[in-house]
Amino acid sequence: MTTDPAPSPRLPALGRAGAATRDHIGQLQRGYRADESAAVARVAQIRRGAGRPIDALPELWGLTGLERLYPNGRTGPSDALAENAMHTAVTLWSLHQQSHREAGMHRVSGPQLGGAVRQLMPSDDIDEPLRKRFVRAGAAPTFDILAQRLRELVVLLRREAVPLDYGVLADQLYRWQRPDGRGEVNRAWGRSFHAYRRPRSTGGTSAGHTDSNLPGTDTDPYTDKDQS
């Protein structure tokens, strides 16, 4: 009697921006963690764009993987939204991954934004300064301001090596720009925040963050040094 082979694990269903982001970051992350000089240099270049709009950074053309959005060489009316989303997700990941060789900060089927932020807090309490940072991201009035506020959160996630699923984030950033999409994305971020439960095997709780160890609200004292 023959048996069917075990099915291969399926990747989460993603839209155009999310799938392109997942594939590009996956390739970069493998090279970075293997300490391949070309990948390390590229990630350092891309990191300069974290929190900055795509049209301000022509020096990143050809580095952030936007060509993956056009596998057939054709463009369409929603391309600017997909480009904004992918650029923002890839550049934020490059900042998130900085100096982390032991683990990838992009994790397929990993935490979404709200769950990752909740993971920074004590399991039995709410860190109010951090909660306000998260709320400010949800209340961002424009996409450029959203990218800046996400950068502030990513700096904190990097500090504690808490990963994100950047493919999912890219799709959410795409939807955020569409009519009526902002509420849908905010609902998803809030849901993942409220649903997060710390795995019992980790034991203990992490210390909450206070104003003294959070970057400033309007300025970020963290300076990129392109360290590997």
Side-chain angles (χ1 to χ4, degrees):
M1 181 178 72
T2 61
T3 58
D4 293 332
S8 355
R10 292 186 177 180
L11 296 175
L14 294 173
R16 174 187 175 206
T21 297
R22 176 195 62 203
D23 293 347
H24 190 61
I25 289 179
Q27 180 180 349
L28 286 173
Q29 186 165 267
R30 286 189 294 272
Y32 185 86
R33 293 186 62 201
D35 203 20
E36 297 173 4
S37 58
V40 172
R42 177 166 291 194
V43 171
Q45 288 178 278
I46 295 170
R47 189 159 59 239
R48 297 169 189 164
R52 299 178 61 191
I54 188 172
D55 54 6
L57 296 156
E59 63 266 32
L60 296 188
W61 289 344
L63 301 182
T64 54
L66 298 185
E67 65 278 0
R68 295 177 185 267
L69 295 172
Y70 309 109
N72 301 315
R74 293 194 296 270
T75 61
S78 64
D79 291 337
L81 307 188
E83 290 170 351
N84 288 340
M86 184 172 182
H87 165 85
T88 301
V90 171
T91 55
L92 288 174
W93 164 81
S94 66
L95 174 63
H96 198 166
Q97 189 65 46
Q98 183 182 15
S99 301
H100 285 296
R101 294 288 201 281
E102 73 287 353
M105 294 298 102
H106 163 58
R107 184 179 298 170
V108 175
S109 297
Q112 294 188 30
L113 181 66
V117 170
R118 186 65 179 89
Q119 193 171 335
L120 295 174
M121 299 182 183
S123 59
D124 58 350
D125 198 8
I126 294 294
D127 182 321
E128 185 60 16
L130 181 53
R131 188 191 74 84
K132 287 180 178 178
R133 285 297 177 92
F134 183 46
V135 169
R136 287 181 73 247
T142 68
F143 189 82
D144 288 350
I145 292 175
L146 173 64
Q148 294 167 14
R149 293 178 180 179
L150 290 178
R151 185 189 189 280
E152 295 174 0
L153 293 174
V154 163
V155 169
L156 300 177
L157 295 174
R158 184 189 63 186
R159 183 182 299 170
E160 303 299 328
V162 175
L164 277 178
D165 187 326
Y166 275 92
V168 170
L169 180 64
D171 274 348
Q172 291 173 335
L173 293 175
Y174 174 80
R175 290 197 297 274
W176 193 98
Q177 301 170 82
R178 296 185 65 82
D180 302 322
R182 191 177 309 185
E184 176 189 352
V185 172
N186 279 345
R187 184 183 294 273
W189 287 346
R191 182 181 297 122
S192 64
F193 179 88
H194 294 116
Y196 175 77
R197 296 294 181 272
R198 192 179 306 279
R200 292 185 179 183
S201 59
T202 60
T205 61
S206 61
H209 297 282
T210 64
D211 283 324
S212 62
N213 60 19
L214 284 175
T217 298
D218 297 315
T219 59
D220 188 343
Y222 173 77
T223 301
D224 291 332
K225 298 180 180 178
D226 293 341
Q227 61 193 25
S228 61

